[in-house]
Amino acid sequence: MKTFQGYYSYETPDHIQGADITVTNKRIEIHLKDAHGNPRIVHWYWENVVRGEERPGGCVLHHTGLPLQTLIVPNGEFAAEVDVQMKKKRRNFPTAWVTFFTTGLIILGLIVAAFVWIVPWLAGKAANALPVEYEVSMGEEAYKSLIAEYKILPKQTEQVNKFYKQMGVKSPYPIQITVVDFDQTNAFAVPGGHIVVYSGLLKRMQHPEELAALLAHESSHVNLRHTTRSLMQSLGTFTAVSLIFGDVTGIGAVLVENASSLKNLEYSRRLEKEADLNGLSMLKNQEIPGNGFVLLFKTLGQGGGSAPSEWLSSHPDLERRAEYVQEKLSNPEPAVPAPLKATWDQIRAGLK
């Protein structure tokens, strides 16, 4: 490593002193002596070095930033070495920006990944941590906010609730079904126990087993807290922040404000399968034929009519679901209990 002779100034040209200068691929090293004659070294890294005025047989360099630092080296060989390093700097400049951009993308990716994995985890933790009483109260407020936009069918509501009670399934929640006059094939669950069924869906069903399967499926979403968890997950950032600060009442208020999103709430495939198989188990325990799931999926998959299937859009992959349900069916399947058949006939007659 060759040493060059030059002059170094700090702040003003008046503060100038002789210096021994060496050059490396990373930096310029300026060897000085302080006021007491003790050696010291000033390092200039190439990314902070800029050219000054042109000088024949040498060069003038400056260090970026304040205070102003200047280096004068009256040596052509040093100037040539500076040219080499400055060209490397220009070549590396785009690379530095690429590195910066790439780093930014990585950070953004980590943030996205955090919300993809952490928010669902937090939503699950929050849903499981809520007392049943609070979830019921929260769901009641959401239901009141939501149901005002519909026309309730009192007779069909009474009959479908009678049908559900005759199924004899158990739940830690006070399951209440409301039938509304709406020509769409849709049904959805509200946290805490409310289930809303559209008249359009009831009209398309042909068998009492289908209604049993639908109610078992939607009540499973309630019992397994899928509805609460998925709604919290859809609120994402707010849920995470509220949990960090322990504000579960804030979560409840926002759930009420966003109650309309329950109509088209989407569940993951894992949660759908859990609700299907849990519902199937509920029906088996009460000796109700589980093939109602297959019949329901077939009815929804056939389409037709002027009413769009909102339930189908938020509960996809019907063929695969029918396959794993069929694998679990009893052979032979039990007959539909007579009380359910009688109540089903009343429901169908009232909708004609």
Side-chain angles (χ1 to χ4, degrees), residues 1 50 72 107 140 241 294 320 325 330 340:
M1 189 186 318
V50 295
I72 303 171
I107 293 172
E140 188 67 32
V241 172
V294 178
R320 173 70 188 116
V325 167
S330 303
L340 287 183

Side-chain angles (χ1 to χ4, degrees), residues 248-265:
V248 292
T249 58
I251 294 174
V254 173
L255 290 182
V256 171
E257 291 176 7
N258 290 271
S260 61
S261 63
L262 288 164
K263 293 182 292 184
N264 305 111
L265 185 63

Side-chain angles (χ1 to χ4, degrees), residues 151 153 156 178-186 197-205 348 351:
K151 177 185 176 182
L153 299 177
Q156 284 72 30
T178 304
V179 179
V180 297
D181 184 16
F182 207 92
D183 192 24
Q184 280 187 343
T185 51
N186 197 21
V197 179
Y198 288 17
S199 60
L201 178 55
L202 285 176
K203 289 176 182 178
R204 290 187 65 187
M205 293 180 180
R348 290 286 295 172
L351 289 170

Side-chain angles (χ1 to χ4, degrees), residues 275-290:
D276 288 339
L277 296 183
N278 186 77
L280 182 61
S281 177
M282 291 164 60
L283 297 183
K284 280 187 174 182
N285 290 339
Q286 301 306 122
E287 297 187 349
I288 299 171

Side-chain angles (χ1 to χ4, degrees), residues 196-258:
V196 178
V197 179
Y198 288 17
S199 60
L201 178 55
L202 285 176
K203 289 176 182 178
R204 290 187 65 187
M205 293 180 180
Q206 301 299 316
H207 309 278
E209 301 98 308
E210 294 180 72
L211 180 56
L214 175 73
L215 298 180
H217 175 89
E218 294 296 341
S219 62
S220 291
H221 277 317
V222 174
N223 296 338
L224 299 173
R225 294 184 160 181
H226 291 170
T227 306
T228 304
R229 184 190 314 175
S230 298
L231 191 55
M232 285 183 173
Q233 183 176 334
S234 70
L235 297 176
T237 304
F238 183 87
T239 300
V241 172
S242 297
L243 289 174
I244 290 170
F245 291 97
D247 183 17
V248 292
T249 58
I251 294 174
V254 173
L255 290 182
V256 171
E257 291 176 7
N258 290 271

Side-chain angles (χ1 to χ4, degrees), residues 315-326:
H315 297 67
D317 199 19
L318 296 183
E319 290 185 7
R320 173 70 188 116
R321 293 168 66 188
E323 288 176 3
Y324 63 64
V325 167
Q326 285 178 318

Side-chain angles (χ1 to χ4, degrees), residues 7-293:
Y7 303 93
Y8 171 79
S9 66
Y10 178 82
E11 289 188 334
T12 68
D14 297 335
H15 296 161
I16 190 168
Q17 59 180 300
D20 294 331
I21 299 114
T22 56
V23 178
T24 71
N25 288 329
K26 290 185 178 181
R27 64 196 179 193
I28 298 173
E29 296 180 358
I30 306 169
H31 298 261
L32 304 165
K33 290 186 178 181
D34 62 19
H36 303 287
N38 298 316
R40 69 186 185 94
I41 302 175
V42 175
H43 294 145
W44 283 14
Y45 291 88
W46 287 111
E47 59 265 27
N48 299 318
V49 176
V50 295
R51 288 185 178 278
E53 62 186 66
E54 294 292 333
R55 179 163 296 192
C59 65
V60 177
L61 303 175
H62 299 293
H63 191 277
T64 57
L66 295 174
L68 178 64
Q69 299 178 65
T70 302
L71 185 64
I72 303 171
V73 182
N75 185 292
E77 188 179 348
F78 176 83
E81 181 62 26
V82 169
D83 285 339
V84 171
Q85 296 299 335
M86 294 297 276
K87 287 178 181 177
K88 290 182 181 179
K89 174 184 174 181
R90 284 194 294 272
R91 287 197 300 269
N92 290 336
F93 182 73
T95 304
W97 275 102
V98 170
T99 302
F100 177 79
F101 183 70
T102 303
T103 302
L105 287 178
I106 292 172
I107 293 172
L108 180 61
L110 290 174
I111 292 173
V112 172
F115 277 94
V116 168
W117 285 297
I118 293 177
V119 169
W121 179 80
L122 284 174
K125 287 291 185 182
N128 292 333
L130 286 175
V132 170
E133 295 78 8
Y134 181 80
E135 194 177 2
V136 170
S137 175
M138 179 180 67
E140 188 67 32
E141 293 301 315
Y143 170 79
K144 289 178 181 177
S145 171
L146 178 65
I147 204 64
E149 63 185 86
Y150 294 107
K151 177 185 176 182
I152 297 175
L153 299 177
K155 183 177 180 180
Q156 284 72 30
T157 293
E158 180 182 353
Q159 290 170 337
V160 174
N161 276 286
K162 178 182 178 182
F163 185 95
Y164 177 78
K165 289 179 181 177
Q166 288 173 336
M167 288 169 60
V169 295
K170 304 298 181 182
S171 172
Y173 296 91
I175 301 295
Q176 292 290 323
I177 299 104
T178 304
V179 179
V180 297
D181 184 16
F182 207 92
D183 192 24
Q184 280 187 343
T185 51
N186 197 21
F188 58 90
V190 178
H194 280 284
I195 297 172
V196 178
V197 179
Y198 288 17
S199 60
L201 178 55
L202 285 176
K203 289 176 182 178
R204 290 187 65 187
M205 293 180 180
Q206 301 299 316
H207 309 278
E209 301 98 308
E210 294 180 72
L211 180 56
L214 175 73
L215 298 180
H217 175 89
E218 294 296 341
S219 62
S220 291
H221 277 317
V222 174
N223 296 338
L224 299 173
R225 294 184 160 181
H226 291 170
T227 306
T228 304
R229 184 190 314 175
S230 298
L231 191 55
M232 285 183 173
Q233 183 176 334
S234 70
L235 297 176
T237 304
F238 183 87
T239 300
V241 172
S242 297
L243 289 174
I244 290 170
F245 291 97
D247 183 17
V248 292
T249 58
I251 294 174
V254 173
L255 290 182
V256 171
E257 291 176 7
N258 290 271
S260 61
S261 63
L262 288 164
K263 293 182 292 184
N264 305 111
L265 185 63
E266 294 186 7
Y267 303 97
S268 69
R269 289 188 178 186
R270 181 179 64 82
L271 296 187
E272 289 292 6
K273 186 173 183 179
E274 280 186 13
D276 288 339
L277 296 183
N278 186 77
L280 182 61
S281 177
M282 291 164 60
L283 297 183
K284 280 187 174 182
N285 290 339
Q286 301 306 122
E287 297 187 349
I288 299 171
N291 66 335
F293 278 96

